[in-house]
Amino acid sequence: MSDRIHTLSGYFYEYQKSVTEPESFWARIADSFHWKKRWDKVLKWDFEGPNVKWFVNGKLNITENIFEKNLFAFGDRTAIIWEPSEPGEDVRTISYKELYHQVCQFSNALKSKGIQKGDRVIIYMPMIPEAAIAMLACARIGAIHSVVFAGFSANALTDRIIDSGAKAILTSDGNYRGNKKIGIKAIVDEALEKADVETVIVCQRTGQDVTMKAGRDHWWHEVIVGEKDSNVAKEMDSEDPLFILYTSGSTGKPKGVVHSTAGYMVYTKYTFENVFQYSPGDVYWCTADIGWITGHSYIVYGPLLSGATTLMFEGVPTYPDPGRFWAVIEKHKVNQFYTAPTAIRALQAYGTDPIAPYNLDSLKVLGSVGEPINEEAWRWYYNHIGQSRCPIVDTWWQTETGGILVSPIAGITPTKPAFATLPLPGIQLAIVDPEGNELTGNSVEGNLCIKYPWPSMIRTLWGDHGRCKETYFSTYKGMYFTGDGVKRDHDGYYRILGRVDDVINVSGHRMGTAEVENAINEHPLVIESAVVGYPHEVKGQGIYAFVICDMSHRTEENLINEIKETVSKIIGPIAKPDKIQIVSGLPKTRSGKIMRRILRKVAEGSTDNMGDTSTLLDPEVVTKIIEGRK
Ligand code: WT7
């Protein structure tokens, strides 16, 4: 861990170096990895294409940097601690050596099923070690994995199977959610009524009944029989795609964010070690799901590349009771704990009684990710979980950025509640006004852009490079646009203010308003809808839908419930609107554009000042909507 920052002046020194000599800065860090062939040039780029290549012509395999590079040094060290949903069930601990053999064996099984370099493999699994094994096995043979969060519906899964052109799906029989069993394989079956893959491999978890289609479906425990538990990792080019991860944008169709191999590897390891100040032997726990980028970069790749012990938790924060997180921290003596503001706020609502029985002295660092953390939640987390002695790292980043870009370095960067503080080395931020002029100096507010490439940045959107250019590189010329608003205060500290586009952040999950509208519009009695976010105490933002319906067939209550179910079916329960208001019309401009600004005000309940309404086609509509708000 020689690239470790130890002091604040060390941080400023490294940051400066990363800006003045970015190529030699990243070359130094990349040199500590195992390359089958070293790169010819560190970076080639333009943001016009965009066309970004890191470690050009380097050859490597990311799993060799997790296993072969380290097995002699610490093969017996624990790689994964798995905590099951049911507190009484046995914990699984898997050493680096054991993980290596399981990854090799499963990757050999994938090869036997005809899966090759470049093929897309969907992973639709619960939080069990096999999910991480599945990802690493794909990486081992060069198949491109695309993990789909197991809370997404069959419909959403179908879309991702088709868009990625997946050859195989790796899944499980079922999933535990509290004391419920959810059929995961059944959802895959439903998804495959409208899409096609050659192979489905099913890991047994709940033991519930499943239907297996002969020739297509196989049991995980059967396909590994007779497969060798070692192999040679496939040689990959630095820029070969490692994975696709779908995320929401401002149009209805999810975007397949593509990450490549070498840059992602270098950046996730570097940021993991520095941000969390991880030391060998520490137990690190990130509560995210592997279906999101946080799970990819900071449960699986970053920690395992660092030889860390990473805890994987199958359950939910409130099962069997709201003390579960704290019980797990005590049980496994967790040193670094990384979670989302929405979880903190949800647990805060239970007060401090659920914390009292547990010893949290092992904690050294707390992390926050996914949405702005409000000051109150920050203080509660700091005082009651961190016992006023653990630094909080408020980490700002995105699916597209691959790794953390703005964050304190634990214990080194002085923190301020609700501030992500300063950019990590290599990250050149710009705050711009609506015309794209960069706002320099402190005490400014605007849209957050990035001026220079970093190794783990998005390379393209799967199958649609034009949309990648359009979404991220066209709003402001020569810059990557994040979609977030930001403030730089008098100290030069960054505070993320939230999305400035039609994306809302519900419990740290990113939702496109257009995506939710499309789902609502699937209900046969819906004529038109408009969705906005509004402040929600626990979720950060809630989903508020204004819907015009044919009211002649149902009561309002029935209709509202049916619409919620429709959304749940089309996207998944996470996208269910919190509030639905049936309206007779939507506020539109003369050119037919919905004035969301007005709807946001109504949803927030701040209707005394509606701002400029002079462009409205029919102001009467707004009066009716305000009256109809309950
Ligand atoms: C959006 C990205 C990063 C992994 C999880 C979410 C918001 C993320 C923070 C933070 C304020 C944050 C932004 C960003 N966000 N982290 N620390 N403070 N906002 O990844 O689903 O790609 O969403 O989440 O709005 O653009 P994602």
Side-chain angles (χ1 to χ4, degrees):
M1 297 198 179
S2 55
D3 294 309
R4 185 66 157 270
I5 293 165
H6 296 282
T7 59
L8 190 58
S9 56
Y11 157 74
F12 285 117
Y13 178 82
E14 291 291 301
Y15 186 80
Q16 206 47 43
K17 263 208 127 67
S18 78
V19 173
T20 51
E21 301 162 45
E23 295 196 34
S24 62
F25 175 84
W26 288 112
R28 187 195 83 212
I29 292 167
D31 260 329
S32 67
F33 289 81
H34 175 75
W35 298 85
K36 288 179 189 279
K37 177 190 162 291
R38 200 173 184 268
W39 58 90
D40 298 332
K41 179 153 180 32
V42 175
L43 173 65
K44 278 192 185 167
W45 71 286
D46 70 77
F47 277 176
E48 291 298 308
N51 189 7
V52 176
K53 287 187 162 67
W54 281 91
F55 310 109
V56 183
N57 292 332
K59 306 288 174 200
L60 75 158
N61 186 287
I62 193 167
T63 70
E64 261 188 0
N65 281 278
I66 294 173
F67 300 121
E68 279 87 340
K69 179 166 168 273
N70 297 322
L71 282 180
F72 283 119
F74 50 74
D76 294 325
R77 187 186 291 171
T78 300
I80 297 176
I81 299 175
W82 177 73
E83 169 72 20
S85 173
E86 203 55 57
E89 194 184 333
D90 286 346
V91 165
R92 285 168 66 184
T93 52
I94 304 171
S95 71
Y96 272 85
K97 209 184 285 163
E98 288 163 341
L99 187 63
Y100 165 73
H101 289 305
Q102 291 181 30
V103 167
C104 285
Q105 190 173 47
F106 191 63
S107 60
N108 286 336
L110 291 178
K111 279 199 279 190
S112 297
K113 289 280 167 270
I115 295 159
Q116 296 172 355
K117 177 173 171 179
D119 288 342
R120 274 79 61 208
V121 175
I122 297 245
I123 299 176
Y124 188 74
M125 292 179 80
M127 286 290 287
I128 54 177
E130 284 73 12
I133 293 169
M135 292 164 75
L136 296 168
C138 288
R140 184 97 185 151
I141 64 172
I144 302 167
H145 59 70
S146 185
V147 184
V148 177
F149 173 57
F152 276 118
S153 69
N155 246 289
L157 183 55
T158 303
D159 290 347
R160 287 153 177 78
I161 296 166
I162 293 171
D163 190 82
S164 66
K167 197 166 178 181
I169 302 183
L170 313 178
T171 188
S172 73
D173 50 357
N175 183 9
Y176 290 106
R177 230 49 195 153
N179 43 24
K180 280 191 299 221
K181 281 182 190 178
I182 295 163
I184 295 285
K185 174 60 164 64
I187 299 174
V188 171
D189 292 341
E190 196 187 327
L192 288 177
E193 281 167 19
K194 293 191 208 118
D196 215 10
V197 297
E198 283 174 20
T199 303
V200 178
I201 299 180
V202 187
C203 182
Q204 214 164 32
R205 171 61 189 126
T206 56
Q208 67 202 91
D209 285 342
V210 297
T211 352
M212 299 289 273
K213 185 171 165 185
R216 185 193 70 184
D217 300 355
H218 313 271
W219 287 107
W220 183 296
H221 59 267
E222 287 175 7
V223 296
I224 59 176
V225 172
E227 295 293 352
K228 282 205 316 197
D229 65 359
S230 62
N231 60 17
V232 176
K234 187 81 184 167
E235 180 170 297
M236 305 296 285
D237 185 85
S238 289
E239 282 300 321
D240 279 335
L242 177 63
F243 64 85
I244 305 169
L245 186 57
Y246 285 88
T247 188
S248 298
S250 40
T251 73
K253 192 174 171 278
K255 307 179 280 196
V257 172
V258 177
H259 281 290
S260 68
T261 303
Y264 179 82
M265 170 183 79
V266 169
Y267 196 78
T268 53
K269 176 175 188 276
Y270 176 76
T271 51
F272 171 73
E273 290 174 6
N274 277 300
V275 169
F276 296 101
Q277 292 286 300
Y278 182 88
S279 303
D282 284 349
V283 175
Y284 160 89
W285 180 20
C286 166
T287 68
D289 190 282
I290 48 137
W292 312 113
I293 190 71
T294 311
H296 285 61
S297 304
Y298 299 108
I299 294 178
V300 179
Y301 288 110
L304 294 178
L305 285 160
S306 301
T309 298
T310 178
L311 193 150
M312 228 178 140
F313 174 46
E314 183 185 33
V316 294
T318 48
Y319 180 79
D321 59 59
R324 186 64 189 280
F325 273 2
W326 327 128
V328 174
I329 291 173
E330 177 186 270
K331 181 174 175 184
H332 297 290
K333 302 201 169 49
V334 170
N335 302 111
Q336 290 88 11
F337 177 67
Y338 190 27
T339 195
T342 184
I344 298 165
R345 288 189 299 263
L347 294 172
Q348 192 184 353
Y350 293 93
T352 51
D353 285 354
I355 312 169
Y358 302 106
N359 182 338
L360 305 180
D361 287 352
S362 59
L363 287 173
K364 298 198 273 194
V365 174
L366 301 176
S368 171
V369 61
E371 47 173 322
I373 180 165
N374 49 309
E375 239 180 284
E376 199 200 338
W378 194 99
R379 293 197 190 281
W380 189 84
Y381 196 29
Y382 185 77
N383 293 328
H384 297 291
I385 306 307
Q387 306 169 339
S388 310
R389 57 174 184 82
C390 301
I392 295 180
V393 290
D394 177 358
T395 63
W396 175 84
W397 56 300
Q398 310 179 298
T399 303
E400 293 86 345
T401 71
I404 299 168
L405 300 195
V406 184
S407 169
I409 300 203
I412 290 171
T413 316
T415 57
K416 264 189 221 186
F419 281 77
T421 73
L422 298 170
L424 294 181
I427 307 308
Q428 300 188 33
L429 305 175
I431 301 184
V432 301
D433 69 12
E435 284 72 48
N437 305 307
E438 185 172 351
L439 304 171
T440 53
N442 290 342
S443 304
V444 290
E445 193 176 311
N447 289 344
L448 181 60
C449 294
I450 304 165
K451 292 191 275 193
Y452 195 84
W454 65 100
S456 65
M457 69 183 288
I458 179 175
R459 296 301 193 269
T460 188
L461 288 174
W462 184 258
D464 199 347
H465 196 65
R467 189 172 173 203
C468 176
K469 180 187 170 96
E470 168 73 27
T471 310
Y472 307 106
F473 298 92
S474 301
T475 318
Y476 303 111
K477 217 176 139 40
M479 290 190 260
Y480 168 87
F481 176 44
T482 64
D484 278 317
V486 70
K487 170 176 137 177
R488 185 164 52 220
D489 78 352
H490 52 276
D491 289 328
Y493 267 37
Y494 290 83
R495 178 178 190 149
I496 308 298
L497 302 170
R499 304 287 307 196
V500 295
D501 52 9
D502 289 326
V503 168
I504 50 184
N505 193 324
V506 184
S507 301
H509 301 316
R510 192 159 145 186
M511 299 297 334
T513 51
E515 212 179 331
V516 181
E517 286 163 8
N518 288 351
I520 292 173
N521 299 347
E522 290 285 312
H523 190 288
L525 298 176
V526 168
I527 296 159
E528 197 180 359
S529 64
V531 164
V532 295
Y534 72 98
H536 187 287
E537 245 181 58
V538 172
K539 298 179 171 185
Q541 279 189 298
I543 304 177
Y544 198 121
F546 298 86
V547 190
I548 308 174
C549 297
D550 172 355
M551 292 300 294
S552 51
H553 306 270
R554 304 276 198 283
T555 66
E556 189 166 312
E557 193 193 336
N558 285 345
L559 197 52
I560 287 174
N561 288 333
E562 284 178 24
I563 292 171
K564 286 188 181 173
E565 279 322 302
T566 306
V567 176
S568 202
K569 190 163 169 290
I570 305 281
I571 305 174
I574 49 172
K576 244 191 228 185
D578 298 276
K579 292 185 185 166
I580 295 178
Q581 181 178 341
I582 308 287
V583 295
S584 55
L586 291 166
K588 290 191 178 172
T589 60
R590 284 181 197 90
S591 59
K593 219 172 131 2
I594 295 174
M595 291 180 77
R596 284 165 194 283
R597 177 174 57 76
I598 290 179
L599 294 176
R600 267 184 229 117
K601 290 234 166 198
V602 177
E604 272 166 31
S606 52
T607 46
D608 13 310
N609 175 16
M610 298 304 280
D612 180 14
T613 51
S614 60
T615 52
L616 270 176
L617 179 64
D618 175 12
E620 185 55 24
V621 168
V622 179
T623 320
K624 278 199 200 148
I625 291 180
I626 295 173
E627 279 167 11
R629 184 178 184 276
K630 293 194 192 103

